[in-house]
Amino acid sequence: MTVKDLQQHDVTANGIRVHYAARGTGPLVLLCHGFPEGWYSWRDQLQALAAAGYRAVAPDMRGYGRTDAPAEISSYTVLDIVGDMIGLVGALGEKQAVIVGHDWGANIAWHAALFRPDVFPAVAALSVPFRQRGPAPPLHMLRKAGQLTHYWFHFQEPGVAEAEFERDPRTALRRVLYSISGDAPPETRRLTLQPGKGWLANTLDPVIALGSGAAALQALPATVPGLRRKLLIDGAGHFIQQERPQLVNEAMIEFLGGLPAWGR
């Protein structure tokens, strides 16, 4: 399959223009990418899901690719982005979708199913397990724990991370995608910054393997009602659907095939 084989369209959803790639017909499966990615990260899943009898749709999420990027930081709350996905389901002429997310897209998928189970009756999440709400905002918890070198802080001051990435976008993306992949040496797989250096200096999946991610993974049977399966793929890193597309496709199709019918 090539990009030319895909349908690509723009629609208005939740008040913004959303670009998406799609393939296939049947029950809708919505694929939400993470950072720093776009709809293209789901290219292998679009083909496989279509062949299995599903309508697979992968949008550029708010702020990415050809989808609108509102200037206000306050326009990127989980409510806004879940609202985009609800609006996209309606714009596609559908009433329901199984929602699949990777990385930050997994966080959106989890919350979409929490907020609107009538629209999203099932969720599959890659690389980011569900975390219950903590006693304080995440950045506050990191400060309290003394984790001031966590990469989230690097992205708080507008323009700092952007300047680092924009010096050489192609190289920056390659470094990020490689650095926490299963092919990278363990010393690169960190979510913290080296003193005096940017995030790309860092650059086993640290989100799953370390700290609260590992704890959240172990807690899934208690925190996710109706949990069907936990799957760990040996040797793979964070960008799982691109690193091990065949295994991810097989697991995803098996999961979808075991669900009650959804759709119109």
Side-chain angles (χ1 to χ4, degrees):
M1 185 193 74
T2 67
V3 172
K4 293 181 180 179
D5 298 318
L6 298 171
Q7 305 166 25
Q8 293 197 56
H9 301 286
D10 292 344
V11 295
T12 298
N14 196 28
I16 67 169
R17 184 185 73 253
V18 175
H19 179 80
Y20 68 88
R23 189 168 176 84
T25 58
L28 179 61
V29 180
L30 200 57
L31 305 166
C32 303
H33 68 79
F35 170 84
E37 300 172 286
W39 72 258
Y40 188 73
S41 67
W42 296 108
R43 58 197 178 280
D44 293 304
Q45 288 68 48
L46 289 168
Q47 169 67 14
L49 291 172
Y54 298 100
R55 183 184 185 188
V57 173
D60 283 332
M61 304 297 282
R62 175 181 290 236
Y64 293 82
R66 298 180 185 177
T67 290
D68 281 347
E72 301 81 9
I73 294 174
S74 61
S75 296
Y76 293 87
T77 70
V78 68
L79 292 172
D80 289 300
I81 304 174
V82 168
D84 296 343
M85 298 302 99
I86 295 168
L88 179 56
V89 171
L92 294 170
E94 304 282 357
K95 294 183 178 179
Q96 288 186 319
V98 170
I99 190 165
V100 180
H102 169 256
D103 185 69
W104 286 101
N107 193 46
I108 297 304
W110 288 121
H111 284 85
L114 275 172
F115 297 160
R116 292 296 303 270
D118 57 318
V119 178
F120 304 107
V123 55
L126 283 64
S127 298
V128 174
F130 176 70
R131 288 180 171 88
Q132 291 182 304
R133 183 168 180 168
L139 289 178
H140 177 84
M141 297 293 290
L142 287 172
R143 289 191 185 96
K144 187 175 180 181
Q147 297 184 30
L148 300 181
T149 58
H150 194 282
Y151 85 96
W152 288 355
F153 290 107
H154 187 59
F155 285 77
Q156 296 307 301
E157 183 65 31
V160 174
E162 290 88 339
E164 184 182 8
F165 275 77
E166 289 169 2
R167 279 196 293 270
D168 187 345
R170 182 180 294 273
T171 298
L173 289 173
R174 284 178 171 173
R175 291 184 68 175
V176 172
L177 292 172
Y178 172 73
S179 67
I180 53 177
S181 74
D183 296 325
E187 59 268 22
T188 72
R189 303 173 196 163
R190 293 191 301 269
L191 294 177
T192 56
L193 276 64
Q194 299 176 32
K197 296 185 178 181
W199 192 46
L200 294 179
N202 289 332
T203 3
L204 180 71
D205 182 351
V207 179
I208 292 292
L210 304 175
S212 63
L217 181 66
Q218 293 301 317
L220 281 178
T223 58
V224 177
L227 180 68
R228 297 293 182 95
R229 185 184 186 190
K230 290 193 300 182
L231 175 64
L232 295 177
I233 298 177
D234 290 339
H238 184 65
F239 299 101
I240 187 73
Q241 78 273 34
Q242 299 187 76
E243 294 181 51
R244 301 292 189 273
Q246 184 63 36
L247 293 174
V248 169
N249 294 345
E250 291 171 359
M252 195 178 297
I253 291 168
E254 179 184 347
F255 170 70
L256 295 171
L259 297 174
W262 73 92
R264 303 181 184 182

